[in-house]
Every structure is written in C-alpha cells, then in structure tokens.
Amino acid sequence: MQIQRRGRMPRSVASSGVASRVIDMKIVDIIRQPAVTIPVSASIATAAQRMRAWNVGILTVLDEEDRLVGVITDRDIVVRFVSRDETAMHVRVGDVMTPKVLTCFDSQTIEDAAAAMGDHQVRRLPVCDEAKRLLGVLSVDRIAEEYSEHLAGEALGEIVETRGGQVTKDLHR
C-alpha cells in the first residue's frame, strides 16, 4: 500500500513562506537510512532486543529473499504477544519500569514543562502537587490541543532530536 496525499497543506506551512521548500522535499530526504530490518523467522525476543539496540519502535520484516513482508512495532509486541504470554504476566512492573522519572509541579508554567520535555526528550510528564502526590500526566499532545501547537511543536522537535547520553531527573529538584 502506498501513501496518498489528502487534504491541503497545513495553514502553518502555507502562511510561513516556506511552502515551496516543503513541497519540494521528498520522503527520501527525511527517512531513516538504513532501515532496521529483521528476518520473518526471528523470535519476538530478538525483535525486542534489536529495537532496544537501535532505539527504534519499528522493524521492517524481510523474507528469505530480502523482500519486505511486513513490519513489527513495539506496540505489536505488547498488544499481540506480551498481553497473551503467561510467563510475561509474572514479570513485575518494577522490574521493567524507568525508575528515575522527570516530573513537574501543577503550579509551574506550561512553557517550563514543555522546555523540560524537550531538554530531557520525554513526551509525557507526571504532574505532582507540592506534597509530591500524583495529580495527572501532561503530554505534548495536550499542550498542542489545549494550549499552543507552536509550543508543542518546538518541544517535539527537541524530543526527537538525536543526542548523546541524557540524564532524566525531577524538574523540581
């Protein structure tokens, strides 16, 4: 299946004066090369290990003749495999969770939260009160929907930027 262009150019692109540059850009200009692949006969464990090693959420699946036969995503592994695997049910969340979590206070500005998301390359921030009780979660999506698409876009640009090692810590420490 090939993609088809639908609708019209987003207003932000059309009004920014960069429409011609954006239209001239091709998919090849922005794709990850080379694609991270896996043989159709590989195990789910191998797929998960490869995703972790390459820091990707999708692998292209090739047959014995190196033809594309599908894709497998991290979500496929969770929804179609882990959720049905009884041995996986015995693994505790604490064994696989990220223990050092970036958080923010409910009294901080959205700009501060968006900046922290970009700086630490996270899409979601748990929101706590001054007593450090969890109140909810702020996502880049919610910033875009409820506050500013521009600010969310800036944060997302920082989040997806390739960088060296990173340290995650509390925003309010």
Side-chain angles (χ1 to χ4, degrees):
M1 179 185 334
Q2 292 183 327
I3 61 170
Q4 296 178 352
R5 184 172 179 192
R6 293 189 200 184
R8 54 193 171 87
M9 188 182 322
R11 274 189 299 245
S12 60
V13 172
S15 64
S16 68
V18 296
S20 62
R21 190 181 73 204
V22 172
I23 291 171
D24 291 338
M25 184 174 277
K26 305 291 184 199
I27 292 172
V28 71
D29 295 328
I30 61 171
I31 63 173
R32 178 188 177 115
Q33 291 181 337
V36 184
T37 64
I38 192 157
V40 69
S41 59
S43 70
I44 296 294
T46 301
Q49 291 164 355
R50 190 161 297 173
M51 285 179 184
R52 182 177 183 197
W54 284 89
N55 193 30
V56 297
I58 188 170
L59 299 174
T60 51
V61 182
L62 304 178
D63 67 12
E64 301 79 21
E65 296 172 14
D66 286 335
R67 290 182 303 217
L68 180 66
V69 293
V71 296
I72 186 165
T73 65
D74 45 9
R75 187 174 191 280
D76 293 336
I77 292 172
V78 171
V79 172
R80 298 180 185 156
F81 176 74
V82 174
S83 63
R84 297 181 185 183
D85 183 1
E86 288 192 27
T87 59
M89 296 301 181
H90 300 293
V91 176
R92 295 177 324 149
V93 171
D95 295 333
V96 295
M97 70 178 191
T98 301
K100 295 181 180 180
V101 180
L102 179 67
T103 62
C104 64
F105 285 129
D106 58 336
S107 59
Q108 290 178 286
T109 67
I110 295 171
E111 288 86 358
D112 286 345
M117 288 174 163
D119 291 344
H120 297 279
Q121 297 185 298
V122 296
R123 295 173 189 253
R124 295 169 198 88
L125 283 178
V127 180
C128 299
D129 63 14
E130 297 298 323
K132 293 193 177 184
R133 288 185 299 251
L134 181 64
L135 299 175
V137 177
L138 177 65
S139 68
V140 173
D141 296 357
R142 293 297 290 172
I143 293 171
E145 293 166 0
E146 302 294 330
Y147 188 74
S148 167
E149 290 179 2
H150 180 75
L151 181 63
E154 287 180 351
L156 190 56
E158 293 289 320
I159 291 166
V160 301
E161 177 181 276
T162 302
R163 300 183 192 165
Q166 63 187 34
V167 177
T168 304
K169 59 183 178 182
D170 283 346
L171 177 59
H172 48 71
R173 277 191 188 174

Coordinates of all heavy atoms in Angstrom, one line a residue, residues 79-167:
V79 N 0.8 -5.7 22.5 CA -0.6 -6.0 22.3 C -0.8 -7.4 21.9 O -1.7 -8.1 22.3 CB -1.3 -5.0 21.4 CG1 -2.7 -5.4 21.0 CG2 -1.3 -3.6 22.0
R80 N 0.0 -7.9 20.9 CA -0.2 -9.2 20.4 C 0.6 -10.3 21.0 O 0.2 -11.5 20.8 CB 0.1 -9.2 18.9 CG -0.8 -8.2 18.1 CD -0.5 -8.2 16.7 NE -1.3 -7.2 16.0 CZ -0.9 -6.6 14.9 NH1 0.2 -7.0 14.3 NH2 -1.7 -5.7 14.3
F81 N 1.6 -10.0 21.8 CA 2.4 -11.1 22.3 C 2.4 -11.0 23.9 O 2.0 -11.9 24.5 CB 3.8 -11.0 21.8 CG 4.7 -12.0 22.4 CD1 4.7 -13.4 22.1 CD2 5.7 -11.6 23.3 CE1 5.5 -14.3 22.7 CE2 6.5 -12.5 23.9 CZ 6.4 -13.9 23.6
V82 N 3.0 -10.0 24.4 CA 3.1 -9.9 25.8 C 1.8 -10.0 26.6 O 1.7 -10.7 27.6 CB 3.9 -8.6 26.3 CG1 3.9 -8.4 27.8 CG2 5.3 -8.6 25.6
S83 N 0.8 -9.4 26.1 CA -0.5 -9.4 26.8 C -1.1 -10.8 26.8 O -2.0 -11.1 27.6 CB -1.5 -8.5 26.2 OG -1.8 -8.8 24.8
R84 N -0.6 -11.7 26.0 CA -1.2 -13.1 25.9 C -0.2 -14.1 26.5 O -0.5 -15.3 26.6 CB -1.5 -13.5 24.5 CG -2.6 -12.6 23.9 CD -2.9 -13.0 22.5 NE -3.9 -12.1 22.0 CZ -4.4 -12.2 20.8 NH1 -4.1 -13.2 20.0 NH2 -5.3 -11.3 20.4
D85 N 1.0 -13.7 26.8 CA 2.1 -14.7 27.2 C 2.0 -14.8 28.7 O 2.3 -13.8 29.4 CB 3.4 -14.1 26.8 CG 4.6 -15.1 27.1 OD1 4.3 -16.1 27.7 OD2 5.7 -14.7 26.8
E86 N 1.7 -16.0 29.2 CA 1.5 -16.2 30.6 C 2.8 -15.9 31.4 O 2.8 -15.4 32.5 CB 1.0 -17.6 30.9 CG -0.4 -17.7 30.5 CD -1.0 -19.0 31.1 OE1 -0.6 -19.5 32.1 OE2 -2.0 -19.5 30.5
T87 N 4.0 -16.3 30.8 CA 5.2 -16.0 31.5 C 5.5 -14.5 31.7 O 6.0 -14.1 32.7 CB 6.4 -16.7 30.8 OG1 6.5 -16.1 29.5 CG2 6.3 -18.2 30.8
A88 N 5.0 -13.7 30.8 CA 5.2 -12.3 30.9 C 4.3 -11.7 32.0 O 4.6 -10.7 32.6 CB 4.8 -11.6 29.6
M89 N 3.2 -12.4 32.3 CA 2.4 -12.0 33.4 C 3.0 -12.1 34.8 O 2.6 -11.4 35.7 CB 1.1 -12.8 33.4 CG 0.2 -12.6 32.2 SD -0.2 -10.9 32.0 CE -1.2 -11.0 30.5
H90 N 4.1 -12.8 34.9 CA 4.8 -13.0 36.1 C 5.9 -12.0 36.3 O 6.5 -11.9 37.4 CB 5.3 -14.4 36.3 CG 4.3 -15.4 36.2 ND1 3.3 -15.6 37.2 CD2 4.0 -16.3 35.2 CE1 2.5 -16.6 36.8 NE2 2.9 -17.0 35.7
V91 N 6.2 -11.2 35.3 CA 7.2 -10.2 35.4 C 6.6 -8.9 36.1 O 5.5 -8.5 35.6 CB 7.8 -9.8 34.0 CG1 8.8 -8.6 34.1 CG2 8.4 -11.0 33.4
R92 N 7.2 -8.4 37.1 CA 6.6 -7.3 37.8 C 6.9 -6.0 37.1 O 8.0 -5.8 36.4 CB 7.2 -7.2 39.2 CG 6.8 -8.3 40.1 CD 7.4 -8.2 41.5 NE 8.8 -7.7 41.4 CZ 9.3 -6.9 42.3 NH1 8.7 -6.7 43.4 NH2 10.5 -6.5 42.2
V93 N 6.0 -5.0 37.2 CA 6.2 -3.7 36.6 C 7.5 -3.1 37.1 O 8.3 -2.5 36.4 CB 5.0 -2.8 36.9 CG1 5.3 -1.3 36.4 CG2 3.8 -3.3 36.2
G94 N 7.8 -3.2 38.4 CA 9.0 -2.7 39.0 C 10.3 -3.2 38.3 O 11.3 -2.6 38.4
D95 N 10.2 -4.4 37.7 CA 11.4 -5.0 37.1 C 11.7 -4.3 35.7 O 12.8 -4.4 35.2 CB 11.2 -6.5 36.9 CG 11.1 -7.3 38.2 OD1 11.7 -6.8 39.2 OD2 10.4 -8.3 38.1
V96 N 10.7 -3.7 35.1 CA 10.9 -3.1 33.8 C 10.7 -1.6 33.7 O 10.9 -1.0 32.7 CB 10.0 -3.9 32.8 CG1 10.5 -5.3 32.6 CG2 8.6 -3.7 33.1
M97 N 10.2 -1.0 34.8 CA 9.9 0.4 34.7 C 11.2 1.3 34.7 O 12.3 0.8 35.0 CB 9.1 0.8 35.9 CG 9.9 0.8 37.2 SD 8.8 1.3 38.6 CE 10.0 1.5 39.8
T98 N 11.0 2.5 34.3 CA 12.1 3.5 34.4 C 12.0 4.1 35.8 O 11.0 4.8 36.1 CB 11.9 4.6 33.3 OG1 11.9 4.0 32.0 CG2 13.0 5.7 33.4
P99 N 13.0 3.9 36.6 CA 12.9 4.4 38.0 C 13.1 5.9 38.2 O 12.6 6.4 39.2 CB 14.0 3.5 38.7 CG 15.0 3.2 37.7 CD 14.2 3.1 36.4
K100 N 13.9 6.5 37.4 CA 14.1 8.0 37.6 C 13.2 8.7 36.6 O 13.4 8.7 35.4 CB 15.6 8.3 37.3 CG 16.5 7.7 38.3 CD 17.9 8.0 38.0 CE 18.8 7.4 39.1 NZ 20.2 7.7 38.8
V101 N 12.2 9.4 37.2 CA 11.1 10.0 36.4 C 11.2 11.5 36.5 O 11.3 12.1 37.5 CB 9.8 9.5 36.9 CG1 8.6 10.1 36.0 CG2 9.7 8.0 36.8
L102 N 11.1 12.1 35.3 CA 11.0 13.6 35.2 C 9.6 14.0 35.6 O 8.7 13.4 35.0 CB 11.4 14.1 33.8 CG 11.3 15.6 33.6 CD1 12.4 16.3 34.4 CD2 11.4 15.8 32.1
T103 N 9.4 14.8 36.6 CA 8.1 15.3 37.0 C 8.1 16.8 37.0 O 9.1 17.5 36.9 CB 7.7 14.8 38.4 OG1 8.7 15.3 39.3 CG2 7.8 13.2 38.4
C104 N 6.9 17.3 37.1 CA 6.7 18.8 37.3 C 5.6 19.1 38.3 O 4.8 18.2 38.6 CB 6.4 19.5 36.0 SG 4.8 19.0 35.2
F105 N 5.6 20.3 38.9 CA 4.5 20.7 39.8 C 3.4 21.3 39.0 O 3.6 21.9 37.9 CB 5.1 21.8 40.7 CG 5.9 21.2 41.8 CD1 7.2 21.8 42.1 CD2 5.5 20.2 42.6 CE1 8.0 21.4 43.1 CE2 6.3 19.7 43.6 CZ 7.6 20.3 43.9
D106 N 2.2 21.1 39.5 CA 1.0 21.7 38.9 C 1.0 23.2 38.8 O 0.4 23.8 38.0 CB -0.3 21.2 39.6 CG -0.3 21.6 41.1 OD1 0.7 21.8 41.7 OD2 -1.4 21.7 41.6
S107 N 1.8 23.8 39.7 CA 1.9 25.3 39.7 C 2.9 25.9 38.7 O 3.0 27.1 38.5 CB 2.3 25.7 41.1 OG 3.5 25.2 41.5
Q108 N 3.7 25.0 38.1 CA 4.7 25.5 37.1 C 4.0 25.9 35.8 O 2.9 25.5 35.5 CB 5.8 24.4 36.8 CG 6.7 24.3 38.1 CD 7.7 23.2 37.8 OE1 7.3 22.0 37.8 NE2 8.9 23.6 37.6
T109 N 4.7 26.7 35.0 CA 4.1 27.1 33.7 C 4.2 26.0 32.7 O 5.1 25.1 32.7 CB 4.8 28.4 33.2 OG1 6.2 28.0 32.8 CG2 4.8 29.5 34.2
I110 N 3.3 26.1 31.7 CA 3.3 25.1 30.6 C 4.6 25.3 29.8 O 5.2 24.3 29.4 CB 2.1 25.3 29.7 CG1 0.8 24.9 30.5 CG2 2.2 24.4 28.5 CD1 -0.5 25.2 29.8
E111 N 5.1 26.5 29.7 CA 6.3 26.7 29.0 C 7.5 26.0 29.7 O 8.3 25.4 29.0 CB 6.6 28.2 28.9 CG 5.8 29.0 27.9 CD 4.4 29.4 28.5 OE1 4.2 29.2 29.7 OE2 3.6 30.1 27.8
D112 N 7.5 26.1 31.0 CA 8.6 25.3 31.7 C 8.5 23.8 31.5 O 9.5 23.2 31.3 CB 8.5 25.6 33.2 CG 9.0 27.0 33.6 OD1 9.7 27.7 32.8 OD2 8.7 27.5 34.7
A113 N 7.3 23.3 31.5 CA 7.1 21.9 31.3 C 7.5 21.5 29.9 O 8.2 20.5 29.7 CB 5.6 21.5 31.6
A114 N 7.1 22.3 28.9 CA 7.4 22.0 27.5 C 9.0 22.0 27.3 O 9.5 21.2 26.6 CB 6.7 23.0 26.6
A115 N 9.6 23.0 28.0 CA 11.1 23.1 27.9 C 11.7 21.9 28.5 O 12.7 21.4 27.9 CB 11.5 24.4 28.5
A116 N 11.2 21.5 29.6 CA 11.8 20.3 30.3 C 11.6 19.0 29.4 O 12.5 18.2 29.3 CB 11.2 20.1 31.7
M117 N 10.4 18.9 28.8 CA 10.2 17.8 27.9 C 11.2 17.7 26.8 O 11.7 16.7 26.5 CB 8.7 17.9 27.3 CG 7.6 17.6 28.3 SD 6.0 17.9 27.5 CE 4.9 17.1 28.6
G118 N 11.4 18.9 26.2 CA 12.4 19.0 25.1 C 13.8 18.7 25.6 O 14.5 17.9 25.0
D119 N 14.2 19.3 26.7 CA 15.5 19.1 27.3 C 15.8 17.7 27.6 O 16.9 17.2 27.4 CB 15.7 20.0 28.5 CG 15.8 21.5 28.3 OD1 16.0 21.8 27.1 OD2 15.6 22.2 29.2
H120 N 14.8 17.0 28.1 CA 15.0 15.6 28.6 C 14.4 14.5 27.7 O 14.5 13.3 28.0 CB 14.4 15.4 30.0 CG 15.1 16.3 31.0 ND1 16.3 15.9 31.6 CD2 14.8 17.5 31.5 CE1 16.7 16.9 32.4 NE2 15.8 17.8 32.4
Q121 N 13.9 15.0 26.5 CA 13.4 14.2 25.5 C 12.3 13.2 26.0 O 12.4 12.0 25.8 CB 14.5 13.4 24.7 CG 15.4 14.4 24.0 CD 16.5 13.8 23.2 OE1 17.3 13.1 23.7 NE2 16.5 14.1 21.9
V122 N 11.3 13.7 26.6 CA 10.2 12.9 27.1 C 8.9 13.5 26.5 O 8.8 14.7 26.4 CB 10.1 12.8 28.6 CG1 11.3 12.0 29.2 CG2 10.0 14.1 29.3
R123 N 7.9 12.7 26.2 CA 6.7 13.2 25.7 C 5.6 13.4 26.7 O 4.6 14.0 26.5 CB 6.1 12.2 24.6 CG 7.0 12.1 23.4 CD 6.5 11.0 22.5 NE 7.5 10.7 21.5 CZ 7.3 11.1 20.2 NH1 6.2 11.7 19.8 NH2 8.3 10.8 19.3
R124 N 5.8 12.8 27.9 CA 4.8 12.9 29.0 C 5.5 13.2 30.3 O 6.6 12.7 30.6 CB 4.1 11.6 29.1 CG 3.3 11.2 27.9 CD 2.8 9.8 28.0 NE 2.3 9.4 26.7 CZ 3.1 8.8 25.7 NH1 4.4 8.6 26.0 NH2 2.7 8.5 24.6
L125 N 4.9 14.0 31.1 CA 5.4 14.4 32.4 C 4.3 14.1 33.5 O 3.2 14.7 33.4 CB 5.7 15.9 32.5 CG 7.0 16.4 31.9 CD1 7.0 17.9 32.1 CD2 8.2 15.8 32.5
P126 N 4.6 13.3 34.5 CA 3.7 13.2 35.6 C 3.7 14.5 36.3 O 4.7 15.2 36.5 CB 4.4 12.1 36.5 CG 5.2 11.3 35.6 CD 5.7 12.3 34.6
V127 N 2.5 14.9 36.7 CA 2.3 16.2 37.4 C 2.0 16.0 38.9 O 1.0 15.2 39.2 CB 1.1 17.0 36.7 CG1 0.9 18.4 37.4 CG2 1.4 17.2 35.2
C128 N 2.7 16.6 39.8 CA 2.5 16.4 41.2 C 2.2 17.7 41.9 O 2.4 18.8 41.3 CB 3.8 15.9 41.8 SG 4.4 14.3 41.2
D129 N 1.6 17.6 43.0 CA 1.3 18.8 43.8 C 2.6 19.1 44.7 O 3.6 18.3 44.6 CB 0.0 18.7 44.7 CG 0.1 17.6 45.7 OD1 1.2 17.0 46.0 OD2 -1.0 17.2 46.2
E130 N 2.5 20.1 45.5 CA 3.7 20.4 46.3 C 4.1 19.3 47.3 O 5.2 19.3 47.7 CB 3.4 21.8 47.1 CG 3.3 23.0 46.2 CD 4.5 23.3 45.3 OE1 5.6 23.1 45.7 OE2 4.2 23.7 44.1
A131 N 3.1 18.5 47.7 CA 3.4 17.3 48.5 C 3.9 16.1 47.8 O 4.1 15.0 48.3 CB 2.2 17.0 49.3
K132 N 4.2 16.3 46.5 CA 4.6 15.3 45.5 C 3.6 14.1 45.4 O 4.0 13.0 45.1 CB 6.0 14.7 46.0 CG 7.1 15.8 45.8 CD 8.5 15.1 45.9 CE 9.6 16.2 45.7 NZ 10.9 15.6 45.7
R133 N 2.3 14.5 45.5 CA 1.3 13.5 45.2 C 0.9 13.6 43.7 O 0.8 14.7 43.2 CB 0.0 13.8 46.0 CG 0.2 13.4 47.5 CD -1.1 13.6 48.2 NE -1.5 15.0 48.2 CZ -1.5 15.8 49.2 NH1 -1.2 15.4 50.4 NH2 -1.9 17.1 49.0
L134 N 0.8 12.5 43.1 CA 0.5 12.5 41.6 C -0.9 13.0 41.4 O -1.9 12.6 42.0 CB 0.6 11.1 41.1 CG 0.3 10.9 39.6 CD1 1.3 11.6 38.8 CD2 0.2 9.4 39.2
L135 N -1.0 14.0 40.5 CA -2.3 14.6 40.1 C -2.7 14.2 38.7 O -3.9 14.2 38.4 CB -2.2 16.1 40.2 CG -1.8 16.7 41.5 CD1 -1.7 18.2 41.4 CD2 -2.9 16.4 42.5
G136 N -1.8 13.9 37.8 CA -2.1 13.6 36.5 C -0.9 13.5 35.6 O 0.2 13.5 36.2
V137 N -1.1 13.5 34.3 CA 0.0 13.5 33.4 C -0.2 14.5 32.3 O -1.3 14.7 31.8 CB 0.2 12.1 32.7 CG1 1.3 12.0 31.7 CG2 0.4 11.0 33.8
L138 N 0.9 15.3 32.0 CA 0.8 16.3 30.9 C 1.6 15.7 29.8 O 2.7 15.2 29.9 CB 1.5 17.6 31.4 CG 1.7 18.7 30.3 CD1 0.3 19.2 29.9 CD2 2.5 19.8 30.8
S139 N 0.9 15.7 28.6 CA 1.6 15.2 27.4 C 1.8 16.4 26.4 O 1.1 17.4 26.4 CB 0.7 14.1 26.7 OG -0.5 14.7 26.2
V140 N 2.7 16.1 25.4 CA 2.9 17.1 24.3 C 1.6 17.2 23.6 O 1.2 18.3 23.2 CB 4.0 16.6 23.4 CG1 4.1 17.5 22.2 CG2 5.3 16.6 24.1
D141 N 0.8 16.1 23.4 CA -0.5 16.2 22.7 C -1.4 17.2 23.4 O -2.1 18.0 22.7 CB -1.1 14.8 22.7 CG -0.4 13.8 21.9 OD1 0.7 14.2 21.3 OD2 -0.8 12.7 21.8
R142 N -1.5 17.1 24.7 CA -2.4 18.0 25.5 C -1.9 19.5 25.3 O -2.8 20.4 25.2 CB -2.5 17.6 26.9 CG -3.2 16.3 27.2 CD -4.6 16.3 26.7 NE -5.4 17.1 27.6 CZ -6.6 17.4 27.4 NH1 -7.3 17.0 26.3 NH2 -7.3 18.2 28.2
I143 N -0.6 19.7 25.3 CA -0.1 21.1 25.1 C -0.6 21.6 23.8 O -1.1 22.7 23.7 CB 1.4 21.1 25.3 CG1 1.8 20.8 26.7 CG2 1.9 22.5 24.8 CD1 3.3 20.7 26.9
A144 N -0.5 20.7 22.7 CA -0.9 21.2 21.4 C -2.4 21.4 21.3 O -2.9 22.4 20.8 CB -0.5 20.1 20.4
E145 N -3.2 20.5 21.9 CA -4.7 20.6 21.9 C -5.2 21.7 22.7 O -6.2 22.4 22.3 CB -5.3 19.3 22.4 CG -5.0 18.1 21.5 CD -5.4 16.8 22.1 OE1 -5.8 16.7 23.3 OE2 -5.1 15.7 21.5
E146 N -4.6 21.9 23.9 CA -5.2 22.8 24.8 C -4.5 24.2 25.0 O -5.0 25.1 25.6 CB -5.3 22.2 26.2 CG -6.1 20.9 26.2 CD -7.6 21.1 25.9 OE1 -8.1 22.1 26.2 OE2 -8.2 20.2 25.3
Y147 N -3.3 24.3 24.5 CA -2.5 25.5 24.8 C -1.9 26.1 23.6 O -2.3 27.2 23.2 CB -1.4 25.2 25.9 CG -0.7 26.4 26.4 CD1 -1.3 27.3 27.2 CD2 0.6 26.7 26.0 CE1 -0.7 28.4 27.7 CE2 1.3 27.8 26.4 CZ 0.6 28.7 27.3 OH 1.3 29.8 27.7
S148 N -0.9 25.4 23.0 CA -0.2 26.0 21.8 C 0.4 24.9 21.0 O 1.3 24.2 21.4 CB 0.9 26.9 22.3 OG 1.7 27.3 21.3
E149 N -0.1 24.8 19.7 CA 0.5 23.9 18.8 C 2.0 24.3 18.5 O 2.8 23.4 18.4 CB -0.3 23.9 17.5 CG -1.6 23.3 17.6 CD -2.4 23.3 16.3 OE1 -1.9 23.8 15.2 OE2 -3.5 22.9 16.3
H150 N 2.3 25.6 18.5 CA 3.6 26.0 18.2 C 4.6 25.5 19.3 O 5.6 25.0 19.0 CB 3.7 27.5 18.1 CG 5.0 28.1 17.8 ND1 5.6 28.0 16.6 CD2 5.9 28.7 18.6 CE1 6.8 28.5 16.7 NE2 7.0 28.9 17.9
L151 N 4.2 25.7 20.6 CA 5.0 25.3 21.7 C 5.2 23.8 21.7 O 6.3 23.3 21.9 CB 4.4 25.8 23.0 CG 5.2 25.5 24.3 CD1 6.5 26.1 24.3 CD2 4.4 25.9 25.5
A152 N 4.1 23.1 21.5 CA 4.2 21.6 21.4 C 5.1 21.2 20.3 O 5.9 20.2 20.5 CB 2.8 21.0 21.2
G153 N 5.0 21.8 19.2 CA 5.9 21.5 18.0 C 7.4 21.8 18.4 O 8.2 21.0 18.0
E154 N 7.7 22.9 19.0 CA 9.0 23.1 19.4 C 9.5 22.1 20.4 O 10.7 21.6 20.3 CB 9.1 24.5 20.1 CG 9.0 25.7 19.2 CD 9.1 27.0 19.9 OE1 9.1 27.1 21.1 OE2 9.2 28.0 19.2
A155 N 8.7 21.7 21.4 CA 9.1 20.6 22.3 C 9.3 19.3 21.6 O 10.3 18.6 21.8 CB 8.0 20.5 23.4
L156 N 8.4 19.0 20.7 CA 8.5 17.7 20.0 C 9.8 17.7 19.1 O 10.5 16.7 19.0 CB 7.3 17.5 19.1 CG 7.2 16.1 18.5 CD1 7.2 15.0 19.5 CD2 5.9 16.0 17.7
G157 N 10.1 18.8 18.5 CA 11.4 18.9 17.8 C 12.6 18.6 18.6 O 13.5 17.9 18.2
E158 N 12.6 19.0 19.8 CA 13.7 18.7 20.8 C 13.6 17.3 21.2 O 14.7 16.6 21.4 CB 13.6 19.7 22.0 CG 13.9 21.1 21.7 CD 15.4 21.4 21.4 OE1 16.2 20.8 22.0 OE2 15.6 22.1 20.5
I159 N 12.4 16.8 21.4 CA 12.3 15.4 21.9 C 12.8 14.4 20.9 O 13.5 13.4 21.3 CB 10.8 15.1 22.2 CG1 10.3 15.9 23.4 CG2 10.5 13.6 22.4 CD1 8.8 16.0 23.6
V160 N 12.6 14.6 19.6 CA 13.0 13.6 18.6 C 14.4 13.9 18.1 O 14.9 13.1 17.3 CB 12.0 13.6 17.4 CG1 10.6 13.2 17.9 CG2 12.0 14.9 16.7
E161 N 15.1 14.9 18.5 CA 16.4 15.3 18.1 C 17.4 14.2 18.6 O 17.3 13.8 19.7 CB 16.8 16.6 18.7 CG 18.2 17.1 18.4 CD 18.5 18.4 19.1 OE1 18.1 19.4 18.5 OE2 19.0 18.4 20.2
T162 N 18.3 13.8 17.7 CA 19.3 12.8 18.1 C 20.4 13.5 18.9 O 20.9 14.5 18.5 CB 19.9 12.1 16.9 OG1 18.9 11.6 16.1 CG2 21.0 11.1 17.3
R163 N 20.7 12.9 20.1 CA 21.7 13.5 21.0 C 22.5 12.3 21.6 O 22.2 11.2 21.5 CB 21.0 14.2 22.2 CG 20.1 15.3 21.8 CD 19.6 16.0 23.0 NE 18.5 16.9 22.7 CZ 17.7 17.4 23.5 NH1 17.8 17.1 24.8 NH2 16.8 18.2 23.2
G164 N 23.6 12.7 22.3 CA 24.4 11.8 23.1 C 23.6 11.4 24.3 O 22.4 11.5 24.4
G165 N 24.3 10.9 25.3 CA 23.7 10.5 26.6 C 22.9 11.5 27.2 O 23.1 12.7 27.1
Q166 N 21.9 11.1 28.0 CA 21.0 12.0 28.6 C 20.7 11.6 30.0 O 20.8 10.4 30.4 CB 19.7 12.1 27.9 CG 18.9 10.8 27.8 CD 17.7 11.0 26.9 OE1 17.7 11.7 25.9 NE2 16.6 10.3 27.2
V167 N 20.4 12.5 30.9 CA 20.1 12.2 32.3 C 18.7 12.7 32.5 O 18.3 13.8 32.2 CB 21.1 13.0 33.2 CG1 20.7 12.7 34.7 CG2 22.5 12.5 32.9

